Amino acid sequence: METLANRRSAYRKKLQSEGTPKIKKCSLGKMENVVEEKDGNLILNTTEKQLEKTRRTRKCGFTTTSKDDPIIVVGGGISAATFMEHVRLNGCRTPITMITQENWPPYDRVLLSKKPSAEGKSIRLRSDAYYRENHINIITKTKVNDFDFNRRSIALSTGRRMRYSKLVLAPGVVPKKLNIPGARLKNVFYLRVASEANAISTNSTGKHVVCIGGSFIGMEIASALVLTAASVTVVCMTEEPLPALGADIGAATSVSNVYAIGDAVCTPLPLWEIDSINIQHFQTAQEHGHMLGYSILGRPYPHELTPFFWALFFFEFGIRYTVLPRNGVVVAVANSGPIPTAIQFLDIFKRKIKITREDIEK
């Protein structure tokens, strides 16, 4: 395993032999962006409007699909969306159908706890045109009622039955329901999908709000509601909120041609010698979909899974967290504020560089 000390030494030798690269002002395509070096930092000058105008989405390079039964993806979250995109980019010509109970194709669900008033249609990840151009069929407002693994078919809530060549299960998870007196009273809400977030936003205006749960999502929704609610109280089981701050992914299941990805899945983290762990976060689910987009076609994935997530409180105080020393080896890093320390460690972990307590204390 490569160590941080070895990496530093190799980098110093490279600089000595090649010299420190100097980056001057340059134009990036048709954009009027300028990259410049200042005091050892790279600065990109642009505007939000320019970035939005020049955003590009990669497309598959073919116009027709094969005659095979479709790959059916059950679930409409980020792991499902990422899988469909990357299996297409890897050259898969099999028809793809995604089935979701939600009203919209995949959208930015992470935003719901930060901006609960956001509607699903306004935060979609991809347009209808994107799905048409990449030969992806989206079925919304529909449940899967039954699986027939022997016949490779599923039954939908609409009465329709569909055959599949491969089945990808990406159902996600749902919040644990309260089992206490009064849990079913009016104005008790759970947060998972856009319609629930919108209901919380609408019904909390001018009201006294109690958020049960003091981890990242609970604290995010609480901080988002302080602008409109009369008061916000957080109830948690720990002494303080945010207690967390003190092999193949998407592999085949035991059923032939059936795969599972996303929040409902336990996966290994080989770099930290963890055999099985369940991480319910957007980026990890996204990585699952990315990985399955390779492995379902028999292709190796370029790097190991490295969990990363971020949270935003009161619209300005952010926390970035990436997978504290464990057995003398760093397995997690967290930071707040504008300096992206955790992101820097994310890059180190992706390179399979093991960092020890001694490295940090130097």
Side-chain angles (χ1 to χ4, degrees):
M1 177 67 69
E2 185 180 16
T3 65
L4 182 61
N6 291 339
R7 189 79 184 182
R8 285 172 177 164
S9 177
Y11 186 65
R12 290 194 191 100
K13 291 179 180 179
K14 181 179 179 181
L15 291 181
Q16 291 172 357
S17 62
E18 300 178 0
T20 304
K22 299 295 183 181
I23 300 179
K24 301 179 180 180
K25 291 186 177 182
C26 61
S27 174
L28 299 180
K30 296 181 180 180
M31 297 176 65
E32 297 178 358
N33 303 330
V34 174
V35 178
E36 60 180 335
E37 182 183 18
K38 184 177 181 181
D39 299 328
N41 297 315
L42 296 181
I43 301 174
L44 173 64
N45 297 304
T46 187
T47 65
E48 184 176 351
K49 185 176 181 179
Q50 286 177 326
L51 290 175
E52 185 67 30
K53 184 178 179 181
T54 55
R55 178 180 294 176
R56 294 178 295 176
T57 302
R58 293 181 293 174
K59 303 174 184 178
C60 64
F62 51 85
T63 57
T64 59
T65 56
S66 69
K67 301 297 183 181
D68 300 322
D69 288 328
I71 297 174
I72 292 182
V73 182
V74 180
I78 187 60
S79 60
T82 307
F83 163 72
M84 294 188 299
E85 181 166 335
H86 284 277
V87 78
R88 276 287 183 256
L89 292 175
N90 281 320
C92 176
R93 300 173 67 97
T94 306
I96 298 175
T97 295
M98 189 195 80
I99 301 168
T100 175
Q101 298 182 46
E102 296 207 49
N103 298 330
W104 309 103
Y107 57 84
D108 188 359
R109 191 174 290 164
V110 171
L111 191 61
L112 298 180
S113 57
K114 303 169 180 65
K115 188 180 179 182
S117 61
E119 297 183 359
K121 63 181 179 181
S122 66
I123 54 175
R124 288 180 51 175
L125 299 176
R126 295 287 183 259
S127 65
D128 289 337
Y130 168 83
Y131 293 118
R132 286 195 302 270
E133 292 167 357
N134 287 276
H135 311 284
I136 297 172
N137 179 36
I138 306 293
I139 301 177
T140 59
K141 305 177 185 179
T142 303
K143 295 181 181 180
V144 176
N145 287 342
D146 181 63
F147 298 93
D148 188 333
F149 297 122
N150 293 324
R151 297 183 179 180
R152 293 190 188 179
S153 68
I154 61 173
L156 306 184
S157 56
T158 58
R160 179 183 178 187
R161 181 169 285 276
M162 298 181 63
R163 287 182 53 82
Y164 63 83
S165 59
K166 296 184 185 296
L167 179 65
V168 177
L169 302 178
V173 294
V174 296
K176 185 178 180 180
K177 302 294 184 180
L178 290 174
N179 186 23
I180 58 176
R184 297 186 179 182
L185 291 175
K186 184 181 179 181
N187 290 334
V188 175
F189 302 95
Y190 296 88
L191 175 59
R192 182 176 185 268
V193 299
S195 58
E196 294 170 334
N198 298 162
I200 292 172
S201 177
T202 300
N203 290 279
S204 63
T205 302
K207 304 293 180 60
H208 298 286
V209 177
V210 175
C211 292
I212 300 179
S215 193
F216 288 97
I217 294 178
M219 292 303 297
E220 282 187 338
I221 189 68
S223 66
L225 295 177
V226 295
L227 294 179
T228 56
S231 68
V232 179
T233 301
V234 176
V235 178
C236 57
M237 298 176 64
T238 54
E239 293 183 1
E240 296 178 350
L242 302 174
L245 294 182
D248 289 333
I249 305 297
T253 65
S254 58
V255 180
S256 177
N257 294 299
V258 178
Y259 304 80
I261 52 177
D263 287 350
V265 175
C266 291
T267 56
L269 291 178
L271 183 58
W272 295 278
E273 300 176 356
I274 298 174
D275 295 329
S276 181
I277 188 171
N278 175 245
I279 302 175
Q280 298 177 13
H281 193 265
F282 187 91
Q283 181 270 347
T284 304
Q286 184 179 39
E287 197 87 345
H288 287 184
H290 196 173
M291 287 176 157
L292 184 58
Y294 281 77
S295 63
I296 202 170
L297 300 176
R299 297 184 179 182
Y301 191 60
H303 56 77
E304 300 284 0
L305 169 65
T306 305
F308 170 82
F309 65 88
W310 63 277
L312 183 67
F313 307 110
F314 305 108
F315 312 99
E316 58 181 30
F317 170 60
I319 292 178
R320 302 174 185 88
Y321 190 94
T322 190
V323 131
L324 323 160
R326 177 175 178 262
N327 297 328
V329 177
V330 176
V331 298
V333 178
N335 80 277
S336 63
I339 301 176
T341 304
I343 296 177
Q344 294 168 350
F345 273 86
L346 176 66
D347 181 64
I348 292 172
F349 290 148
K350 282 184 177 291
R351 296 171 184 267
K352 300 183 180 181
I353 301 173
K354 189 171 286 188
I355 304 173
T356 65
R357 181 188 295 272
E358 289 74 20
D359 289 324
I360 295 177
E361 293 175 348
K362 287 181 180 179

